[in-house]
Amino acid sequence: MIKAQLVQFFFFATQVTLVVSARLGRNWGGDHGGMGHGGMGHGGVDHGDMDQEGMDRGGMDHGGMGNGEMMQMIHNLLDHREDIERNYENTDTGIESWTTSGKPNVALWIQTHVYQMTTLMDSETGGIRLWDDLFERAFALRDNHELMVNNTADGVHVVQKVSDNVVDIDEAECTTELIQEHAEVVSKFVDRGMSEMHANHPAPEKCAVY
């Protein structure tokens, strides 16, 4: 386990820039069900419920990456959300976000989580939190996004926007709203922890036909 973490550390410390034809939810939420970031202790929280909701009902296909590995990273972040700072700004076609931590181990978890989510989305058939309306639409329209992830010394900087291949105006507006609402939900995961992780989030009305 220690060896695996060291390998991950040296990989992510290179500050490599990942440019992928994005799928929302490398966030994200993150990217876990997008990003679930925590600083709440286990005190009474049944993480097994989130495993069931986030993975089993959502379904997973991520090129051999184990559910347990992804869920452990989500739990790490949920248990340390008070150590995470997240900011994002809406752009004309998406968002720009910064998710960081002053603690090196938490910063590594953030980077690992984003990497896991991008890998999941690149699997073409992958999905997480598919019981959540917002995430279901985000995965269904994964080819409508472009995502640029830059690992920094203390976390990740992400730029996410509508892909240039989306030419239909209504579909582009739907995708922009998906990206922006996903970013807002990821921030709620950081702020509220498990209570937000159990919530369903409606997809934009404009996306109903796509």
Side-chain angles (χ1 to χ4, degrees):
M1 184 69 176
I2 293 175
K3 182 178 179 181
Q5 288 182 337
L6 286 173
V7 170
Q8 285 181 324
F9 174 80
F10 287 116
F11 175 77
F12 288 112
T14 59
Q15 296 197 10
V16 62
T17 299
L18 300 175
V19 180
V20 291
S21 59
R23 284 75 168 155
L24 191 61
R26 301 176 180 186
N27 22 55
W28 351 31
D31 231 73
H32 279 208
M35 272 166 140
H37 301 21
M40 88 209 280
H42 287 283
V45 174
D46 183 356
H47 285 312
D49 289 344
M50 188 175 68
D51 288 10
Q52 179 68 27
E53 292 186 78
M55 296 291 185
D56 296 339
R57 282 201 280 150
M60 293 291 292
D61 178 358
H62 36 73
M65 188 178 296
N67 291 6
E69 182 181 351
M70 285 191 175
M71 289 311 305
Q72 183 58 58
M73 200 56 57
I74 294 171
H75 293 170
N76 289 346
L77 293 168
L78 283 169
D79 290 340
H80 293 82
R81 63 187 178 88
E82 292 177 357
D83 297 320
I84 295 170
E85 181 175 353
R86 175 175 164 80
N87 297 287
Y88 76 94
E89 298 175 355
N90 288 342
T91 64
D92 289 342
T93 59
I95 60 98
E96 183 172 9
S97 68
W98 300 261
T99 308
T100 61
S101 176
K103 294 189 175 182
N105 62 318
V106 180
L108 176 60
W109 293 339
I110 292 169
Q111 294 170 344
T112 302
H113 170 66
V114 174
Y115 173 74
Q116 288 173 337
M117 292 300 100
T118 58
T119 301
L120 173 62
M121 299 303 293
D122 278 339
S123 70
E124 299 296 338
T125 58
I128 190 170
R129 289 184 66 91
L130 299 183
W131 55 270
D132 186 321
D133 294 340
L134 178 64
F135 286 82
E136 187 280 327
R137 281 294 83 200
F139 277 100
L141 298 176
R142 68 181 72 208
D143 291 328
N144 286 12
H145 311 270
E146 290 182 2
L147 182 71
M148 290 166 284
V149 179
N150 181 40
N151 287 340
T152 65
D154 56 357
V156 292
H157 169 230
V158 175
V159 176
Q160 192 167 12
K161 70 182 189 71
V162 178
S163 175
D164 292 338
N165 64 15
V166 180
V167 295
D168 180 85
I169 294 177
D170 290 336
E171 187 173 1
E173 290 179 351
C174 151
T175 304
T176 299
E177 289 188 22
L178 268 177
I179 294 171
Q180 294 174 348
E181 292 187 21
H182 172 266
E184 181 179 1
V185 167
V186 170
S187 292
K188 288 180 179 179
F189 290 159
V190 177
D191 292 339
R192 302 175 184 176
M194 285 299 301
S195 63
E196 193 66 35
M197 289 292 292
H198 287 294
N200 180 52
H201 305 92
E205 292 184 5
K206 290 181 180 180
C207 297
V209 297
Y210 299 106

